Amino acid sequence: GAGVSQSPSNKVTEKGKDVELRCDPISGHTALYWYRQSLGQGLEFLIYFQGNSAPDKSGLPSDRFSAERTGGSVSTLTIQRTQQEDSAVYLCASSLGTDPGELFFGEGSRLTVL
Amino acid sequence: SQELEQSPQSLIVQEGKNLTINCTSSKTLYGLYWYKQKYGEGLIFLMMLQKGGEEKSHEKITAKLDEKKQQSSLHITASQPSHAGIYLCGADIGLNSGYALNFGKGTSLLVTP
């Protein structure tokens, strides 16, 4: 596709359930990022993938959060045993990986944990 | 980690008026990025500033970087309803593994007729 694609756009789940959020980056972009945007909290960096290197997980808030990137393309962010404070918009971005460079963001996945 | 403070938090201006949004860093700025987010959508890149004193313009939006003040300003001239949205500044987090941005909390702009 032309841009970064994320799915689902909206997800409502019950506390304690696991959720998976998907990101399809722009073709050819080697860098992929996950951010979380909460009301009043701004954008919070979660995890960064660059090519085939090990991801930088320094922004993940707890061990309930994990992400993988298969084949250097599609990425999945998994949240286990969701809590109400996990409710947020999860944004994925990709870039050519040049330093520094422009990030291309998807429209986000809005997660609501009841 | 670097903290980015944006001011004001929100702004309501009448169409045609000028406005300025500021972004102040707690650490030295080596590069500053401005993004715009329309309500309910992803972020769109506006411009990148890398050198002290650098100034860039895109249509009616101008951004400047003041390295000494560790600050960047974004100025909109003759605002239009299409300028409405959330403006976020971003700066390099300084990951050991590579490159990612840390963002301010954003400035919400509403332009009234």
Short mmCIF file of all heavy atoms in Angstrom, two decimals, chain A residues 33 35 37 40-43 45 48 50 54 56 58 91 95 98-108 110, chain B residues 33 35 37 40-45 48 50 86 88 92-93 95-106:
data_model
loop_
_atom_site.label_atom_id
_atom_site.label_comp_id
_atom_site.label_asym_id
_atom_site.label_seq_id
_atom_site.Cartn_x
_atom_site.Cartn_y
_atom_site.Cartn_z
N TYR A 33 8.49 1.57 14.14
CA TYR A 33 8.33 2.04 15.52
C TYR A 33 6.89 1.82 15.98
O TYR A 33 5.96 1.95 15.21
CB TYR A 33 8.60 3.55 15.61
CG TYR A 33 9.86 4.03 14.93
CD1 TYR A 33 9.91 4.21 13.55
CD2 TYR A 33 10.99 4.35 15.68
CE1 TYR A 33 11.05 4.67 12.93
CE2 TYR A 33 12.13 4.81 15.07
CZ TYR A 33 12.16 4.97 13.69
OH TYR A 33 13.30 5.43 13.08
N TYR A 35 4.40 3.46 18.97
CA TYR A 35 4.19 4.48 19.97
C TYR A 35 2.80 4.29 20.58
O TYR A 35 1.92 3.69 19.97
CB TYR A 35 4.24 5.88 19.35
CG TYR A 35 5.62 6.39 19.01
CD1 TYR A 35 6.22 6.07 17.78
CD2 TYR A 35 6.33 7.21 19.88
CE1 TYR A 35 7.47 6.55 17.46
CE2 TYR A 35 7.58 7.70 19.57
CZ TYR A 35 8.15 7.36 18.35
OH TYR A 35 9.39 7.85 18.04
N GLN A 37 -0.32 6.58 22.41
CA GLN A 37 -0.81 7.93 22.66
C GLN A 37 -2.01 7.85 23.59
O GLN A 37 -3.06 7.35 23.23
CB GLN A 37 -1.21 8.62 21.35
CG GLN A 37 -1.56 10.08 21.49
CD GLN A 37 -1.77 10.75 20.15
OE1 GLN A 37 -2.23 10.14 19.20
NE2 GLN A 37 -1.41 12.03 20.05
N GLY A 40 -3.86 13.19 27.28
CA GLY A 40 -3.11 14.00 28.24
C GLY A 40 -1.68 13.56 28.47
O GLY A 40 -0.95 14.22 29.20
N GLN A 41 -1.27 12.46 27.84
CA GLN A 41 0.08 11.94 28.07
C GLN A 41 0.99 12.11 26.87
O GLN A 41 2.17 11.87 26.95
CB GLN A 41 0.03 10.45 28.45
CG GLN A 41 -0.71 10.19 29.73
CD GLN A 41 -0.06 10.87 30.90
OE1 GLN A 41 1.16 10.84 31.07
NE2 GLN A 41 -0.87 11.54 31.73
N GLY A 42 0.45 12.48 25.75
CA GLY A 42 1.30 12.64 24.57
C GLY A 42 1.70 11.30 24.00
O GLY A 42 1.16 10.25 24.33
N LEU A 43 2.69 11.34 23.15
CA LEU A 43 3.18 10.13 22.47
C LEU A 43 4.30 9.49 23.28
O LEU A 43 5.27 10.15 23.63
CB LEU A 43 3.72 10.49 21.09
CG LEU A 43 2.99 9.92 19.90
CD1 LEU A 43 1.58 10.45 19.85
CD2 LEU A 43 3.72 10.22 18.62
N PHE A 45 7.11 6.47 23.31
CA PHE A 45 7.85 5.49 22.52
C PHE A 45 7.78 4.12 23.18
O PHE A 45 7.96 4.00 24.39
CB PHE A 45 9.30 5.94 22.38
CG PHE A 45 10.23 4.87 21.88
CD1 PHE A 45 10.24 4.49 20.56
CD2 PHE A 45 11.09 4.22 22.76
CE1 PHE A 45 11.08 3.50 20.11
CE2 PHE A 45 11.94 3.22 22.32
CZ PHE A 45 11.94 2.87 20.99
N TYR A 48 11.37 -0.23 18.87
CA TYR A 48 11.96 0.16 17.59
C TYR A 48 12.62 -1.04 16.94
O TYR A 48 13.38 -1.77 17.59
CB TYR A 48 12.99 1.26 17.87
CG TYR A 48 14.01 1.54 16.81
CD1 TYR A 48 13.65 2.08 15.58
CD2 TYR A 48 15.36 1.30 17.05
CE1 TYR A 48 14.61 2.38 14.63
CE2 TYR A 48 16.33 1.59 16.10
CZ TYR A 48 15.94 2.13 14.89
OH TYR A 48 16.90 2.42 13.94
N GLN A 50 14.94 -2.16 13.52
CA GLN A 50 15.75 -1.67 12.41
C GLN A 50 16.30 -2.88 11.68
O GLN A 50 17.15 -3.61 12.20
CB GLN A 50 16.88 -0.78 12.91
CG GLN A 50 17.88 -0.36 11.84
CD GLN A 50 17.23 0.39 10.69
OE1 GLN A 50 16.76 -0.17 9.70
NE2 GLN A 50 17.18 1.71 10.83
N ALA A 54 18.28 -6.85 16.46
CA ALA A 54 17.40 -7.09 17.61
C ALA A 54 16.66 -5.79 17.93
O ALA A 54 17.24 -4.71 17.88
CB ALA A 54 18.22 -7.53 18.82
N ASP A 56 14.87 -2.66 19.81
CA ASP A 56 15.11 -1.87 21.03
C ASP A 56 13.79 -1.80 21.79
O ASP A 56 12.87 -1.11 21.37
CB ASP A 56 15.61 -0.48 20.66
CG ASP A 56 16.05 0.31 21.88
OD1 ASP A 56 15.34 0.30 22.90
OD2 ASP A 56 17.12 0.93 21.81
N SER A 58 13.35 -0.71 24.88
CA SER A 58 13.54 0.11 26.07
C SER A 58 12.31 0.91 26.48
O SER A 58 12.21 1.34 27.62
CB SER A 58 14.73 1.05 25.87
OG SER A 58 14.53 1.87 24.74
N LEU A 91 0.09 3.74 17.87
CA LEU A 91 0.51 4.22 16.56
C LEU A 91 1.76 3.50 16.10
O LEU A 91 2.70 3.32 16.87
CB LEU A 91 0.79 5.73 16.61
CG LEU A 91 -0.42 6.64 16.81
CD1 LEU A 91 0.02 8.03 17.21
CD2 LEU A 91 -1.24 6.71 15.54
N SER A 95 10.11 4.21 8.65
CA SER A 95 10.97 5.18 7.99
C SER A 95 12.03 4.43 7.20
O SER A 95 12.21 3.22 7.35
CB SER A 95 11.62 6.12 9.00
OG SER A 95 12.68 5.47 9.69
N THR A 98 17.16 6.16 7.68
CA THR A 98 18.27 7.11 7.67
C THR A 98 18.22 7.92 8.95
O THR A 98 17.19 8.10 9.56
CB THR A 98 18.17 8.04 6.45
OG1 THR A 98 16.87 8.65 6.46
CG2 THR A 98 18.35 7.26 5.17
N ASP A 99 19.33 8.40 9.35
CA ASP A 99 19.43 9.09 10.64
C ASP A 99 19.87 10.52 10.43
O ASP A 99 21.01 10.77 10.08
CB ASP A 99 20.42 8.34 11.52
CG ASP A 99 20.58 8.97 12.88
OD1 ASP A 99 19.75 9.83 13.23
OD2 ASP A 99 21.52 8.61 13.57
N PRO A 100 19.10 11.50 10.67
CA PRO A 100 17.69 11.44 11.04
C PRO A 100 16.80 11.37 9.80
O PRO A 100 17.27 11.51 8.70
CB PRO A 100 17.48 12.76 11.77
CG PRO A 100 18.45 13.69 11.10
CD PRO A 100 19.64 12.86 10.71
N GLY A 101 15.54 11.13 10.03
CA GLY A 101 14.66 11.01 8.88
C GLY A 101 13.21 11.24 9.26
O GLY A 101 12.87 11.40 10.42
N GLU A 102 12.38 11.25 8.25
CA GLU A 102 10.96 11.47 8.45
C GLU A 102 10.28 10.17 8.82
O GLU A 102 10.54 9.12 8.21
CB GLU A 102 10.36 12.02 7.15
CG GLU A 102 8.87 12.19 7.15
CD GLU A 102 8.35 12.68 5.80
OE1 GLU A 102 9.19 13.03 4.95
OE2 GLU A 102 7.13 12.68 5.62
N LEU A 103 9.43 10.23 9.82
CA LEU A 103 8.61 9.08 10.21
C LEU A 103 7.26 9.17 9.51
O LEU A 103 6.65 10.23 9.46
CB LEU A 103 8.39 9.04 11.72
CG LEU A 103 9.61 8.96 12.62
CD1 LEU A 103 9.20 8.80 14.07
CD2 LEU A 103 10.53 7.83 12.20
N PHE A 104 6.80 8.04 8.99
CA PHE A 104 5.48 7.96 8.37
C PHE A 104 4.59 7.16 9.31
O PHE A 104 4.86 5.99 9.58
CB PHE A 104 5.57 7.28 7.00
CG PHE A 104 6.34 8.08 5.99
CD1 PHE A 104 7.73 8.04 5.96
CD2 PHE A 104 5.68 8.86 5.06
CE1 PHE A 104 8.45 8.78 5.03
CE2 PHE A 104 6.40 9.59 4.11
CZ PHE A 104 7.78 9.56 4.11
N PHE A 105 3.53 7.80 9.77
CA PHE A 105 2.67 7.17 10.76
C PHE A 105 1.42 6.57 10.14
O PHE A 105 0.87 7.10 9.16
CB PHE A 105 2.21 8.20 11.81
CG PHE A 105 3.26 8.52 12.84
CD1 PHE A 105 4.26 9.44 12.59
CD2 PHE A 105 3.24 7.88 14.08
CE1 PHE A 105 5.22 9.74 13.54
CE2 PHE A 105 4.20 8.17 15.04
CZ PHE A 105 5.18 9.09 14.77
N GLY A 106 0.96 5.47 10.74
CA GLY A 106 -0.35 4.94 10.43
C GLY A 106 -1.40 5.73 11.20
O GLY A 106 -1.07 6.62 11.99
N GLU A 107 -2.66 5.37 10.98
CA GLU A 107 -3.74 6.10 11.65
C GLU A 107 -4.01 5.58 13.06
O GLU A 107 -4.81 6.17 13.78
CB GLU A 107 -5.00 6.06 10.79
CG GLU A 107 -4.83 6.81 9.48
CD GLU A 107 -6.14 7.05 8.76
OE1 GLU A 107 -7.17 6.50 9.19
OE2 GLU A 107 -6.13 7.78 7.75
N GLY A 108 -3.38 4.50 13.42
CA GLY A 108 -3.47 4.04 14.79
C GLY A 108 -4.54 2.99 15.03
O GLY A 108 -5.48 2.84 14.25
N ARG A 110 -7.10 2.09 18.08
CA ARG A 110 -7.62 2.56 19.37
C ARG A 110 -8.03 1.36 20.21
O ARG A 110 -8.92 0.60 19.82
CB ARG A 110 -8.81 3.49 19.17
CG ARG A 110 -9.41 4.02 20.48
CD ARG A 110 -10.54 5.00 20.22
NE ARG A 110 -10.07 6.18 19.53
CZ ARG A 110 -9.49 7.22 20.11
NH1 ARG A 110 -9.32 7.22 21.42
NH2 ARG A 110 -9.10 8.26 19.40
N TYR B 33 11.87 18.09 15.14
CA TYR B 33 10.90 17.71 14.11
C TYR B 33 9.53 18.22 14.51
O TYR B 33 9.13 18.11 15.66
CB TYR B 33 10.86 16.17 13.98
CG TYR B 33 12.18 15.58 13.62
CD1 TYR B 33 13.21 15.47 14.56
CD2 TYR B 33 12.44 15.13 12.33
CE1 TYR B 33 14.44 14.94 14.23
CE2 TYR B 33 13.66 14.60 11.99
CZ TYR B 33 14.66 14.52 12.95
OH TYR B 33 15.88 13.99 12.60
N TYR B 35 5.46 17.81 13.69
CA TYR B 35 4.42 16.99 13.09
C TYR B 35 3.06 17.60 13.39
O TYR B 35 2.90 18.32 14.37
CB TYR B 35 4.44 15.55 13.66
CG TYR B 35 5.55 14.68 13.12
CD1 TYR B 35 6.86 14.82 13.59
CD2 TYR B 35 5.30 13.72 12.15
CE1 TYR B 35 7.88 14.02 13.09
CE2 TYR B 35 6.31 12.92 11.65
CZ TYR B 35 7.60 13.08 12.13
OH TYR B 35 8.61 12.29 11.64
N GLN B 37 -1.11 16.49 13.68
CA GLN B 37 -2.06 15.38 13.77
C GLN B 37 -3.47 15.92 13.68
O GLN B 37 -3.89 16.73 14.52
CB GLN B 37 -1.87 14.62 15.08
CG GLN B 37 -2.75 13.40 15.23
CD GLN B 37 -2.48 12.66 16.53
OE1 GLN B 37 -2.10 13.25 17.53
NE2 GLN B 37 -2.67 11.35 16.52
N GLY B 40 -8.12 12.29 15.34
CA GLY B 40 -8.46 10.93 14.98
C GLY B 40 -7.60 10.33 13.88
O GLY B 40 -7.91 9.24 13.40
N GLU B 41 -6.53 10.99 13.51
CA GLU B 41 -5.68 10.48 12.44
C GLU B 41 -4.23 10.35 12.91
O GLU B 41 -3.88 10.73 14.02
CB GLU B 41 -5.75 11.40 11.23
CG GLU B 41 -7.15 11.50 10.63
CD GLU B 41 -7.18 12.39 9.40
OE1 GLU B 41 -6.11 12.75 8.88
OE2 GLU B 41 -8.30 12.73 8.97
N GLY B 42 -3.40 9.82 12.04
CA GLY B 42 -1.99 9.68 12.34
C GLY B 42 -1.26 11.00 12.20
O GLY B 42 -1.84 12.01 11.83
N LEU B 43 0.03 10.98 12.51
CA LEU B 43 0.84 12.19 12.45
C LEU B 43 1.38 12.40 11.04
O LEU B 43 1.74 11.44 10.36
CB LEU B 43 2.03 12.09 13.41
CG LEU B 43 1.76 12.41 14.88
CD1 LEU B 43 0.91 11.33 15.53
CD2 LEU B 43 3.07 12.57 15.62
N ILE B 44 1.44 13.66 10.65
CA ILE B 44 1.99 14.02 9.35
C ILE B 44 3.21 14.90 9.56
O ILE B 44 3.15 15.88 10.29
CB ILE B 44 0.95 14.76 8.49
CG1 ILE B 44 -0.25 13.85 8.23
CG2 ILE B 44 1.56 15.21 7.17
CD1 ILE B 44 -1.41 14.56 7.60
N PHE B 45 4.31 14.53 8.92
CA PHE B 45 5.55 15.29 9.03
C PHE B 45 5.41 16.66 8.40
O PHE B 45 4.89 16.79 7.28
CB PHE B 45 6.66 14.49 8.34
CG PHE B 45 7.98 15.19 8.23
CD1 PHE B 45 8.83 15.25 9.32
CD2 PHE B 45 8.37 15.77 7.04
CE1 PHE B 45 10.06 15.88 9.22
CE2 PHE B 45 9.59 16.39 6.93
CZ PHE B 45 10.44 16.45 8.02
N MET B 48 11.77 19.45 9.43
CA MET B 48 12.87 19.04 10.30
C MET B 48 13.89 20.17 10.35
O MET B 48 14.25 20.73 9.31
CB MET B 48 13.51 17.77 9.74
CG MET B 48 14.77 17.32 10.41
SD MET B 48 15.34 15.74 9.72
CE MET B 48 15.91 16.26 8.11
N GLN B 50 17.75 21.13 11.79
CA GLN B 50 18.94 20.46 12.31
C GLN B 50 20.02 21.39 12.80
O GLN B 50 20.87 20.98 13.58
CB GLN B 50 19.53 19.54 11.24
CG GLN B 50 18.70 18.30 10.99
CD GLN B 50 19.38 17.37 10.02
OE1 GLN B 50 19.21 17.45 8.82
NE2 GLN B 50 20.17 16.46 10.57
N ILE B 86 -3.52 19.03 16.04
CA ILE B 86 -2.57 18.99 17.15
C ILE B 86 -1.16 19.04 16.57
O ILE B 86 -0.80 18.24 15.71
CB ILE B 86 -2.76 17.71 17.99
CG1 ILE B 86 -4.18 17.64 18.55
CG2 ILE B 86 -1.74 17.67 19.13
CD1 ILE B 86 -4.52 16.32 19.20
N LEU B 88 2.81 18.64 17.19
CA LEU B 88 3.74 17.99 18.10
C LEU B 88 5.17 18.22 17.65
O LEU B 88 5.48 18.13 16.47
CB LEU B 88 3.49 16.49 18.16
CG LEU B 88 2.15 16.04 18.74
CD1 LEU B 88 1.22 15.65 17.61
CD2 LEU B 88 2.33 14.88 19.69
N ASP B 92 15.31 13.61 18.87
CA ASP B 92 15.96 12.31 18.96
C ASP B 92 16.06 11.84 20.40
O ASP B 92 16.60 12.56 21.24
CB ASP B 92 17.35 12.42 18.33
CG ASP B 92 18.01 11.06 18.17
OD1 ASP B 92 17.45 10.04 18.62
OD2 ASP B 92 19.12 11.03 17.60
N ILE B 93 15.55 10.66 20.67
CA ILE B 93 15.60 10.09 22.02
C ILE B 93 17.04 9.77 22.42
O ILE B 93 17.41 9.83 23.57
CB ILE B 93 14.77 8.79 22.06
CG1 ILE B 93 13.28 9.09 22.16
CG2 ILE B 93 15.19 7.89 23.20
CD1 ILE B 93 12.41 7.86 22.17
N LEU B 95 18.55 6.69 21.37
CA LEU B 95 18.65 5.25 21.61
C LEU B 95 20.06 4.78 21.25
O LEU B 95 20.65 5.24 20.29
CB LEU B 95 17.67 4.49 20.72
CG LEU B 95 16.18 4.66 20.97
CD1 LEU B 95 15.41 3.81 19.96
CD2 LEU B 95 15.83 4.24 22.38
N ASN B 96 20.57 3.84 22.02
CA ASN B 96 21.86 3.25 21.68
C ASN B 96 21.77 2.44 20.40
O ASN B 96 22.74 2.29 19.66
CB ASN B 96 22.36 2.35 22.82
CG ASN B 96 22.74 3.16 24.05
OD1 ASN B 96 23.15 4.31 23.93
ND2 ASN B 96 22.59 2.57 25.21
N SER B 97 20.58 1.92 20.15
CA SER B 97 20.40 1.03 19.01
C SER B 97 20.17 1.77 17.71
O SER B 97 20.23 1.18 16.64
CB SER B 97 19.20 0.11 19.27
OG SER B 97 18.02 0.88 19.40
N GLY B 98 19.86 3.04 17.79
CA GLY B 98 19.56 3.74 16.55
C GLY B 98 18.80 5.02 16.81
O GLY B 98 19.08 5.73 17.76
N TYR B 99 17.80 5.22 16.03
CA TYR B 99 17.15 6.52 16.00
C TYR B 99 15.66 6.41 16.25
O TYR B 99 14.97 5.65 15.58
CB TYR B 99 17.42 7.14 14.62
CG TYR B 99 16.53 8.28 14.27
CD1 TYR B 99 16.65 9.50 14.91
CD2 TYR B 99 15.56 8.12 13.30
CE1 TYR B 99 15.82 10.55 14.58
CE2 TYR B 99 14.72 9.17 12.97
CZ TYR B 99 14.86 10.38 13.62
OH TYR B 99 14.03 11.40 13.29
N ALA B 100 15.14 7.17 17.21
CA ALA B 100 13.70 7.27 17.44
C ALA B 100 13.43 8.64 18.04
O ALA B 100 14.32 9.28 18.59
CB ALA B 100 13.20 6.16 18.37
N LEU B 101 12.21 9.08 17.95
CA LEU B 101 11.85 10.40 18.45
C LEU B 101 11.11 10.34 19.77
O LEU B 101 10.32 9.44 20.02
CB LEU B 101 10.95 11.13 17.43
CG LEU B 101 11.56 11.53 16.10
CD1 LEU B 101 10.53 12.27 15.26
CD2 LEU B 101 12.80 12.36 16.28
N ASN B 102 11.40 11.34 20.60
CA ASN B 102 10.61 11.61 21.78
C ASN B 102 9.74 12.82 21.44
O ASN B 102 10.21 13.75 20.79
CB ASN B 102 11.54 11.94 22.95
CG ASN B 102 10.80 12.14 24.24
OD1 ASN B 102 9.81 11.47 24.48
ND2 ASN B 102 11.26 13.05 25.06
N PHE B 103 8.49 12.80 21.85
CA PHE B 103 7.56 13.88 21.48
C PHE B 103 7.08 14.65 22.69
O PHE B 103 6.99 14.13 23.80
CB PHE B 103 6.33 13.30 20.77
CG PHE B 103 6.60 12.83 19.37
CD1 PHE B 103 6.96 11.52 19.11
CD2 PHE B 103 6.49 13.70 18.30
CE1 PHE B 103 7.20 11.08 17.82
CE2 PHE B 103 6.73 13.28 17.00
CZ PHE B 103 7.08 11.96 16.76
N GLY B 104 6.75 15.92 22.44
CA GLY B 104 6.05 16.71 23.42
C GLY B 104 4.60 16.27 23.48
O GLY B 104 4.17 15.42 22.69
N LYS B 105 3.83 16.85 24.39
CA LYS B 105 2.44 16.45 24.57
C LYS B 105 1.51 17.08 23.55
O LYS B 105 0.33 16.74 23.47
CB LYS B 105 1.96 16.76 25.98
CG LYS B 105 2.64 15.92 27.04
CD LYS B 105 2.06 16.16 28.41
CE LYS B 105 2.73 15.24 29.42
NZ LYS B 105 2.20 15.43 30.79
N GLY B 106 2.03 18.02 22.78
CA GLY B 106 1.24 18.58 21.70
C GLY B 106 0.53 19.87 22.06
O GLY B 106 0.28 20.17 23.23
#
